[in-house]
Amino acid sequence: MDLFQEAADKMVLYHLRTSWLNIAKAFNDKASQYNGTISMAFILMALYEEEGVPVTKIAPRIGMEPNSLSRTLNTLEEAGYLARKQDENDQRKVLVFLTEDGKKLRKIALKTVFDLEKKIQDNLTPKQLKAFNEVIGQVSTAIEDFGKVVDGSEKKEK
């Protein structure tokens, strides 16, 4: 075994990254049958309100950067899966709606996500799942703390 792989196998970050890449690949392989991606699926799933969703609420719901969101929204709109219109009460707001085709694709996305979720959960005991959720919560906290130190919003210990 090479030195990198030996070190990587001991890193939480490496396992998170490779797991996410495997999840994205598995999902994108299915989504490609519909000319979609995992990012598109999460956007479709986040658009469930009949009265529309403000564009500004979508990125935080799905953990996506606004620039990537904008490109993906444009792609979905060009494909006829969503529409945008200004809020009647606040002209500064743009609301996003699913079209009828978008609602059909949303159902497929939901089924695919829940099928993958079930496959993962079927391979874990309730005890393992509980431990995973506790650990991933702690990992998220550590990442947030790291971000605060990196951007200077937390004073460094002396």
Side-chain angles (χ1 to χ4, degrees), residues 47 53 76-77 80-85 94-99:
L47 302 176
V53 178
L76 287 166
E77 187 173 25
Y81 296 121
L82 61 85
R84 299 181 223 205
K85 85 173 193 188
V94 175
L95 300 174
V96 179
F97 300 81
L98 290 179
T99 62

Side-chain angles (χ1 to χ4, degrees), residues 117-134:
E117 176 71 16
K118 182 171 177 7
K119 182 59 88 174
I120 292 167
Q121 288 194 21
D122 285 350
N123 285 283
L124 299 171
T125 66
K127 184 178 179 181
Q128 289 171 322
L129 189 56
K130 183 176 187 243
F132 172 80
N133 286 324
E134 290 171 359

Side-chain angles (χ1 to χ4, degrees), residues 6 8-10 17 29 39-40 42 60 65 73 86 88 99 122 125 137:
E6 192 174 317
D9 285 343
K10 297 175 185 170
R17 182 178 189 282
D29 286 348
S39 296
M40 289 176 177
F42 274 92
E65 291 295 320
L73 286 175
Q86 282 188 313
E88 293 173 7
T99 62
D122 285 350
T125 66

Side-chain angles (χ1 to χ4, degrees), residues 5-131:
Q5 194 62 54
E6 192 174 317
D9 285 343
K10 297 175 185 170
M11 294 176 64
V12 171
L13 202 55
Y14 174 79
H15 290 286
L16 288 171
R17 182 178 189 282
T18 56
S19 292
W20 175 249
L21 290 173
N22 287 331
I23 289 167
K25 182 182 179 337
F27 192 92
N28 285 335
D29 286 348
K30 294 272 188 192
S32 69
Q33 297 170 13
Y34 304 94
N35 296 317
T37 65
I38 195 167
S39 296
M40 289 176 177
F42 274 92
I43 290 170
L44 292 171
M45 291 186 306
L47 302 176
Y48 53 85
E49 292 97 331
E50 286 296 320
E51 66 275 5
V53 178
V55 171
T56 55
K57 283 191 173 183
I58 301 169
R61 278 186 180 178
I62 60 173
M64 185 181 248
E65 291 295 320
N67 290 343
S68 297
L69 174 67
S70 182
R71 285 191 304 270
T72 309
L73 286 175
N74 289 339
T75 300
L76 287 166
E77 187 173 25
E78 288 166 12
Y81 296 121
L82 61 85
R84 299 181 223 205
K85 85 173 193 188
Q86 282 188 313
D87 186 316
E88 293 173 7
N89 300 322
D90 184 347
Q91 296 297 309
R92 297 169 297 171
K93 279 187 190 176
V94 175
L95 300 174
V96 179
F97 300 81
L98 290 179
T99 62
E100 287 307 312
D101 286 342
K103 289 175 184 177
K104 290 175 190 170
L105 194 59
R106 182 179 185 275
K107 286 180 182 178
I108 294 166
L110 282 166
K111 181 179 180 341
T112 305
V113 166
F114 287 118
D115 286 351
L116 181 55
E117 176 71 16
K118 182 171 177 7
K119 182 59 88 174
I120 292 167
Q121 288 194 21
D122 285 350
N123 285 283
L124 299 171
T125 66
K127 184 178 179 181
Q128 289 171 322
L129 189 56
K130 183 176 187 243

